[in-house]
Amino acid sequence: MCNTGHCFIVPPHILEALAKRGSSSCKKTLNDTHRILQKRNTILNTLLQTEEIQGNGDRSIYDSGETYEQRVQLVRREGDPEIADITANNAYDRAGFVREYFKGAFGLDSINGAGMEIISNIHYGIRYNNAFWDGDEMTYGDGDGQEFTDFASAIDVVAHELVHGITQFFSNLEYQGQSGALNEHFSDVFGTVIKQKYLGQTLEEADWLIGDTVITENFPGIALRSMKSPGTANEFDTQPDHMDNYYNGPSDNQGVHINSGIPNRAFYLSCMGLGLDDCALIWFETLKALWRTANFMDMVEVMAKVTQELVDGERVNPNAAQNIAQSFAAVGLSTVVV
């Protein structure tokens, strides 16, 4: 769960770096994170006491009108025709694509598996440089036009943030250290899976980038993160691609956006050997089997067990267990091949 950090698509350290360079909009975006965190903490700290939210997985789009409030004006509901606001239509369509992907691929009924309503807020704040999941709904800024642009238009951003919700309900991974890096990892995994599905790309055609369409030409890089080559996406990208370079410092909630590069690289390697669909199934079943404090080796061990079960059930490639083990060994996370 994101109870000690921020489930934003743009990591705090990137906003901080841009603020130091004089970006007033990035500075303002950082200033709003504490208030959002307080709301998320309230929701997540009472998660077990909250009655399960059921419904039909309907989408609702609210226009914040450049205020820092949510659910200000309802502008489009499930089944409504397109409206004049392109951002509203983008948020509606992208959320629907993510919902249908998880339903078709895994039989998942909306974010919580019980038809939870998918609520999106657009035009949040003034020149707001982020998008976030706050524990029960999505919120998108329009960007400042200097470094970032319309976050609701990016399918990988929408998928990444909605998967934070799925993680919240199914494994509740604590948002610090390695469990937090796994939280970010699973969102990046399904962000890139759904992006490839949405664009109809092959593994070779895919760029394996996260957030490449929400940055402007002024941004010092090509994306927020790279699954294929962690640490190369932008000037501030310090993601390692191997445990030898693991970040042990206190920043970024002990490296949740940084160290996620290690399992991200393993996912890329696994996909190149097994294909996207087999890996997506393995990662989804693994996500469901994890727990709040799971670390990297916990995930590797659980994934080995899950993969073998899927192999035995003839649901994935018979060589999947060996391939997965080799991919994680390549990033310094070795376990016994089952």
Side-chain angles (χ1 to χ4, degrees):
M1 62 182 176
C2 305
N3 66 338
T4 58
H6 315 300
C7 287
F8 297 93
I9 189 66
V10 183
H13 67 274
I14 290 182
L15 291 174
E16 290 169 1
L18 292 171
K20 288 178 181 178
R21 293 189 173 188
S23 172
S24 60
S25 52
C26 287
K27 180 178 179 179
K28 289 178 181 178
T29 301
L30 275 172
N31 290 341
D32 193 47
T33 58
H34 181 67
R35 182 177 64 84
I36 297 165
L37 172 61
Q38 288 180 316
K39 176 184 178 182
R40 185 182 300 117
N41 284 345
T42 300
I43 294 169
L44 297 177
N45 287 338
T46 60
L47 189 61
L48 293 179
Q49 287 76 42
T50 304
E51 185 176 344
E52 184 176 62
I53 302 172
Q54 297 185 336
N56 299 314
D58 290 346
R59 293 162 288 179
S60 296
I61 311 297
Y62 289 83
D63 187 343
S64 292
E66 296 189 336
T67 69
Y68 292 90
E69 302 294 333
Q70 296 167 310
R71 307 194 197 190
V72 174
Q73 181 182 3
L74 179 63
V75 295
R76 190 173 178 187
R77 295 176 295 185
E78 187 70 35
D80 286 351
E82 289 188 355
I83 62 175
D85 190 328
I86 296 175
T87 300
N89 296 328
N90 283 338
Y92 181 90
D93 292 341
R94 276 43 164 189
F97 190 90
V98 174
R99 179 190 64 186
E100 293 310 307
Y101 169 76
F102 278 99
K103 184 175 182 180
F106 314 118
L108 186 68
D109 187 4
S110 190
I111 300 168
N112 67 343
M116 179 180 177
E117 182 182 9
I118 301 175
I119 298 171
S120 301
N121 301 276
I122 59 172
H123 304 313
Y124 177 84
I126 299 173
R127 298 162 58 86
Y128 190 78
N129 282 334
N130 231 324
F132 60 88
W133 165 263
D134 71 356
D136 61 9
E137 58 195 89
M138 282 297 310
T139 300
Y140 303 97
D142 292 324
D144 59 6
Q146 299 299 313
E147 305 286 353
F148 299 101
T149 187
D150 183 14
F151 287 89
S153 67
I155 185 64
D156 54 343
V157 171
V158 176
H160 176 102
E161 295 304 329
L162 284 174
V163 173
H164 276 308
I166 293 172
T167 298
Q168 169 185 314
F169 287 107
F170 285 91
S171 63
N172 210 17
L173 287 163
E174 187 175 30
Y175 204 65
Q176 65 179 6
Q178 290 192 12
S179 59
L182 290 178
N183 197 318
E184 280 297 324
H185 165 65
F186 281 106
S187 279
D188 277 352
V189 161
F190 287 103
T192 197
V193 168
I194 290 172
K195 177 182 176 181
Q196 291 179 40
K197 293 291 185 181
Y198 185 80
L199 297 176
Q201 295 175 329
T202 65
L203 294 174
E204 293 73 25
E205 292 170 337
D207 56 26
W208 297 91
L209 298 174
I210 300 293
D212 58 305
T213 63
V214 298
I215 60 172
T216 69
E217 293 182 356
N218 296 325
F219 182 79
I222 58 173
L224 296 175
R225 290 180 289 283
S226 170
M227 305 287 288
K228 180 179 180 179
S229 302
T232 67
N234 60 71
E235 187 176 318
F236 317 118
D237 186 358
T238 58
Q239 280 196 320
D241 62 3
H242 194 281
M243 287 297 290
D244 286 349
N245 299 312
Y246 183 86
Y247 172 73
N248 280 306
S251 298
D252 187 32
N253 281 0
Q254 301 172 1
V256 298
H257 292 94
I258 299 171
N259 290 322
S260 56
I262 297 169
N264 280 2
R265 170 69 176 170
F267 177 75
Y268 164 77
L269 294 173
S270 297
C271 285
M272 298 310 291
L274 294 175
L276 198 67
D277 291 337
D278 277 8
C279 287
L281 177 58
I282 291 167
W283 257 256
F284 182 71
E285 293 299 323
T286 299
L287 172 61
K288 293 194 299 180
L290 293 178
W291 54 94
R292 181 174 176 265
T293 57
N295 60 30
F296 283 1
M297 283 310 301
D298 288 328
M299 183 188 73
V300 173
E301 291 169 2
V302 168
M303 187 171 291
K305 181 174 182 290
V306 164
T307 303
Q308 191 59 52
E309 291 173 350
L310 292 171
V311 168
D312 292 342
E314 299 182 347
R315 299 180 65 190
V316 297
N317 188 300
N319 297 318
Q322 181 179 4
N323 180 280
I324 294 292
Q326 291 173 343
S327 296
F328 276 96
V331 301
L333 290 166
S334 298
T335 189
V336 177
V337 179
V338 294

